[in-house]
Every structure is written in structure tokens, then in C-alpha cells.
Amino acid sequence: MQRKVLGKTIDQWVEETPIIADMIDYKPVFWLNDSIEDWEETTYNNLELSWKDVLEAEERWIRFAPLIAKLFPETEPQSGIIESRLQELPHMKEAINNNYKVAIQGRLFLKCDNALPVAGSIKARGGIYEVLKHAEQLAMNNNILKEDQDYSILADKEAREFFSGYSLAVGSTGNLGLSIGIMGAALGFKVTVHMSADAKQWKKDLLRSKGVSVVEYESDYSKAVEEGRRLAMLDPMCHFVDDEHSKDLFLGYSAAAIRLKRQLDENNIKIDKQNPLFVYLPCGVGGAPGGICFGLKQIFRDAVQCFFVEPTHSPCMLLGLSTKENDQVSVQDFGIDNVTEGDGLAVGRASGFVGKVMEKLLSGVYTIEDDELYRLLALLKDSEGIEIEPSAAASLKGPVALINAKAGIDYAGHNATHIAWATGGSFVPEDMKRDFYEKGKRLLEL
Ligand SMILES: *Cc1c(COP(=O)(O)O)cnc(C)c1O
């Protein structure tokens, strides 16, 4: 008997949603979302979250800045605001054009979250935000902090002792665990990170060196989250950071849009319908790219088009969106193995909450092969001297995927601004960085 998913055979699914056939064969695909709505229509009123929530998140980041500057001196030059630079990639644009035989028009930038302080990845936005918000609530409820006070008092001994009575837990493929562990431990929380089998040893070692408990699983991300959630529920003093459902994580990420707007202004880049912005975001469970897309849509509306990128072996968001079944389906249901070397991207089932919000906001999704990640990583290092991790390199395929798709996208030629979101890299140990690069060079020479 043929395997059935939600009562339908795979053949029936393929008939209804033909792109699934290529996904099952691990072929790179490009999918345009025909459910996207013009901003003016119904979008604005029909979302659970709003612009006000994004602003509140940014205000909270600002309140915490003095504390962050105190706990993490590397953030002092930016006064405790955890932010990355926006860097133009003129040489990489050339290198991509030569390598892929395309002609990217417009300007290409890298959003350098690979170098975000404190956590070394995009998770510094969401993970740290949720820890801070939780700490703020606890401290206020217990009269340790008032909203108009200087938050750096939370670095004092008294506050640390207070937080040590509470615990945090999270399920992670690695980078989210790092952000929660590093920030939680810095405040004094007891932190437990439930790591999926694909999590790298160096991340576990780094966390243990900070006094974080690391529980290792032989299964994938969804299982680590489920088990972590179950155990945390048994402990009333424990807050579980729920990557599959958390609105706080999502909003922490969304504040990036406000910062990016400022950086575009500083570069005198005007974004409107005639001068559109294309943003390419690597997607795992969906919180990080979803939060950023949400924030950007609030600011730029129809002038921004966001595309997610997933590995060909872990296209969970694409599967959820293209079938419209959201988190009711997993890639494993379709025999797709969820094995990828893109850290943070090995997720078989997307966040249902994020999927629902993206339905009306996201322009599309493309998938990419692991080998391609290494090639792009090496091209970037050779052309611009920037080192990123393989998952982050997925974003650099964006303009190529768009051009090759020829799917009736109004691509605006020279007036377009393209931003590839580099999601991680700076914490990767030097020997691994070298291995990544050498692998990319070998693949480029084939
Ligand atoms: C977590 C992560 C992503 C994707 O974020 P999600 O919220 O899981 O979708 C992308 N790149 C890197 C390096 C990550 O760590």
C-alpha cells in the first residue's frame, strides 16, 4: 500500500502540488507564493501582530542596551545595541555573474549577522530578546526593577542571585542554544539546552564552558524541542523558549527591520515601488526570517519582496506553504530526509505560527543544494574577504534564483537593491572555517 499523508497518497499530493515531485527528488526549486496579498488590501488588519509590537520590541532593546554594554564589553562601541553592518558586495556581484553566467542588476549587499556580537549568529536577535523580556518580567514582578530605571543594575550581585533561582530551557540545532545559553548564563539563570543530533560539538563545548547544561539527543530538532518542552513543563520555575511557537522570539527578530531602514537611509538608498528591495533569508523553523520579513513589510510594504531559502533536503516551510497544510506536514512525511550541513536549517517541520503569518507576506521560497553553499562561501571569501557559515551562504543564491526563475517577477533592473542575509559564522572555530573554505574551493574547481 502506498504511504498516505493526511489521507492522501504521495501521487495525489504531487498531482495537486506538482513542485513536490522535484522536492522529493532533492532538485533545487523556485516557488512563487500566489497567496501573497497587496499590503493595502487585507493584510494589515488580518495579522495577529502589528507594527506596535515591532516598536515595543525595539524600545525594549533600547532599555536593555546599558545592561548589554556592561555584560558584553564588545558591544560598548555600539552602546549595547547588538547590530551588524550592511556591506555592499561589488566584487561578489561580479564573481556571481561570472560563475553563474547571469547579469545581476542593481546593487547587492550583505547583512552581516554572521558577525553579530554576543552570539555570532542571527539568533542574537530573537534568542537574546526573549531571555531579556523574561528577565524583565521576573525582575519587575519582584520589585527588583522599575521600567524607568537604568537596567544595568541587573548585572549586580543581588539580581544575579535572584535570577539563579530560575531556569531557562530550549531545544536547538545549535545556534539558538548558544544565544539563550550565553545570555541566560550572563544574567545568572540556570540554563538547559536540548541539542539535536546534528548540533556541532564545539557549540556544546562552548555552552558547557559557561556552566550551561547540554542534553544531547540522537534525534532531530523537532524531537529535541518536544522533549525539552515536556521536561520544562514539569518545572514551575523554568521558562521554555519555544522556537516553534514563540511570539517573543519572532518580535525580537522583527526589530532588525527598523535598524535596516536606518542603514539604508544612511546609504542614501530610497526604497519604493520603482526602487524595490529584495531580501533573501535562510529559513529553518521560520522564526528568524519570518520576524524580519514581518518587520520589513510593515515598513516598506509592497516595495519589499522577501524570499526564504531552504536546503533541498529540509524544505519544511516550502512544503507547508505550497501545500497550505502548514505545520500539519513534515518533510519526512514525503520521504525527504532532513539531512543538511546547513546549521540551523535542518528542520523538518516549520513553525505553524510563522507559516500562517507568511502566507500573505512572503514572495517566495527557493531551495539550494549543500554543495552550492560551500561554493558561495568560498566565492565570498575570495571576492570580499568575508567568512560566513554554509547556511548563511544560502542567501547569496537569491538574485540568481530570481533571474533563472523567469517567473514573471517585476525585477526592476538597475533600480533594485538586493540584500543577502548572512545568518552566522563568526563563532565557527578557525579550523572548521578553513575546512568549509577548502571544500568550497574544491567544488568550484570541478
Ligand atoms: C537559526 C538559523 C537560521 C534560521 O532561523 P529560523 O528561525 O530557524 O528559521 C538561519 N541561519 C542560521 C545560521 C541559523 O542559526
Side-chain angles (χ1 to χ4, degrees):
M1 202 181 75
Q2 241 205 346
R3 174 214 306 259
K4 283 196 172 177
V5 181
L6 301 180
K8 287 184 246 179
T9 65
I10 302 294
D11 288 346
Q12 283 170 319
W13 280 109
V14 169
E15 197 170 316
E16 284 174 23
T17 313
I19 199 170
I20 291 178
D22 282 345
M23 290 163 67
I24 290 173
D25 290 341
Y26 301 118
K27 289 199 185 116
V29 297
F30 183 90
W31 175 79
L32 271 185
N33 180 15
D34 56 20
S35 303
I36 191 170
E37 293 184 11
D38 284 347
W39 187 266
E40 315 305 333
E41 277 179 31
T42 50
T43 339
Y44 191 74
N45 295 323
N46 280 350
L47 298 174
E48 217 176 313
L49 299 168
S50 72
W51 174 237
K52 193 170 141 277
D53 297 301
V54 182
L55 281 177
E56 263 180 38
E58 178 63 359
E59 283 160 12
R60 181 166 287 107
W61 276 117
I62 292 167
R63 290 200 296 279
F64 270 102
L67 172 68
I68 293 171
K70 196 162 175 183
L71 293 174
F72 301 98
E74 69 268 31
T75 65
E76 263 172 31
Q78 300 181 87
S79 311
I81 295 292
I82 298 173
E83 194 42 77
S84 71
R85 61 190 202 290
L86 178 68
Q87 182 170 341
E88 187 155 19
L89 303 177
H91 310 294
M92 181 62 177
K93 187 174 132 178
E94 279 302 308
I96 293 175
N97 282 343
N98 292 334
N99 216 271
Y100 290 90
K101 313 271 178 288
V102 292
I104 301 172
Q105 298 189 330
R107 296 170 76 179
L108 175 64
F109 290 83
L110 193 71
K111 183 62 179 145
C112 299
D113 279 9
N114 55 301
L116 270 184
V118 186
S121 81
I122 194 168
K123 301 297 189 307
R125 301 184 184 276
I128 290 175
Y129 178 80
E130 177 151 346
V131 172
L132 295 177
K133 185 174 179 212
H134 181 63
E136 181 184 49
Q137 268 165 2
L138 285 176
M140 282 184 178
N141 293 344
N142 290 277
N143 298 320
I144 287 179
L145 180 73
K146 292 189 191 66
E147 190 165 325
D148 53 5
Q149 214 167 1
D150 179 344
Y151 277 33
S152 59
I153 59 152
L154 294 182
D156 292 354
K157 194 159 162 279
E158 190 200 356
R160 281 188 66 82
E161 266 166 24
F162 167 73
F163 289 132
S164 72
Y166 295 87
S167 56
L168 300 170
V170 64
S172 171
T173 60
N175 284 343
L176 184 63
L178 280 187
S179 76
I180 305 289
I182 291 170
M183 191 67 222
L187 287 170
F189 284 101
K190 291 201 275 287
V191 189
T192 305
V193 176
H194 300 267
M195 285 284 202
S196 54
D198 53 308
K200 298 280 189 308
Q201 189 60 41
W202 67 267
K203 297 185 183 175
K204 301 175 193 169
D205 295 342
L206 178 64
L207 283 171
R208 289 188 173 123
S209 78
K210 298 193 182 290
V212 172
S213 312
V214 177
V215 186
E216 298 175 62
Y217 292 83
E218 278 171 28
S219 42
D220 82 348
Y221 162 87
S222 305
K223 194 79 198 163
V225 171
E226 188 184 316
E227 190 58 14
R229 188 192 289 124
R230 189 184 70 78
L231 290 170
M233 295 268 272
L234 304 172
D235 178 0
M237 303 305 265
C238 183
H239 175 73
F240 183 68
V241 177
D242 199 326
D243 202 13
E244 290 180 326
H245 302 102
S246 170
K247 300 203 168 68
D248 289 334
L249 276 175
F250 187 85
L251 291 171
Y253 292 118
S254 77
I258 296 176
R259 319 269 183 82
L260 183 65
K261 166 79 166 83
R262 203 173 300 140
Q263 290 177 325
L264 288 165
D265 288 346
E266 284 162 9
N267 280 280
N268 291 316
I269 298 170
K270 195 173 129 211
I271 303 298
D272 55 29
K273 276 220 166 151
Q274 286 69 47
N275 302 278
L277 175 63
F278 294 87
V279 184
Y280 310 102
L281 296 145
C283 176
V285 72
I292 291 170
C293 170
F294 179 78
L296 289 172
K297 285 305 242 189
Q298 303 286 327
I299 295 175
F300 299 113
R301 307 201 165 184
D302 297 329
V304 65
Q305 295 206 41
C306 298
F307 292 88
F308 288 179
V309 51
E310 298 184 298
T312 48
H313 286 249
S314 303
C316 65
M317 186 62 81
L318 173 55
L319 187 67
L321 288 171
S322 61
T323 59
K324 301 199 192 313
E325 294 293 347
N326 211 349
D327 60 349
Q328 299 306 299
V329 285
S330 74
V331 301
Q332 290 93 341
D333 291 342
F334 290 81
I336 299 169
D337 64 12
N338 191 30
V339 176
T340 168
E341 288 167 45
D343 271 19
L345 306 185
V347 178
R349 188 185 300 278
S351 157
F353 150 63
V354 175
K356 201 152 166 288
V357 179
M358 287 305 107
E359 208 174 80
K360 291 175 179 164
L361 299 181
L362 191 65
S363 291
V365 182
Y366 62 94
T367 59
I368 187 168
E369 291 175 325
D370 277 13
D371 281 355
E372 205 68 45
L373 303 178
Y374 291 101
R375 286 192 197 98
L376 286 161
L377 177 151
L379 275 185
L380 183 67
K381 179 158 156 76
D382 283 344
S383 61
E384 305 278 355
I386 301 172
E387 294 178 322
I388 59 177
E389 61 180 272
S391 41
S395 63
L396 289 160
K397 183 79 185 284
V400 182
L402 219 108
I403 292 170
N404 288 342
K406 296 190 184 72
I409 306 160
D410 185 7
Y411 177 38
H414 295 288
N415 294 335
T417 300
H418 300 270
I419 297 180
W421 211 287
T423 43
S426 63
F427 278 22
V428 175
E430 289 305 320
D431 56 332
M432 286 186 74
K433 279 186 192 161
R434 207 178 44 240
D435 290 349
F436 290 161
Y437 173 72
E438 281 168 6
K439 181 163 180 179
K441 288 297 274 187
R442 277 198 304 278
L443 287 163
L444 281 171
E445 277 156 21
L446 289 181

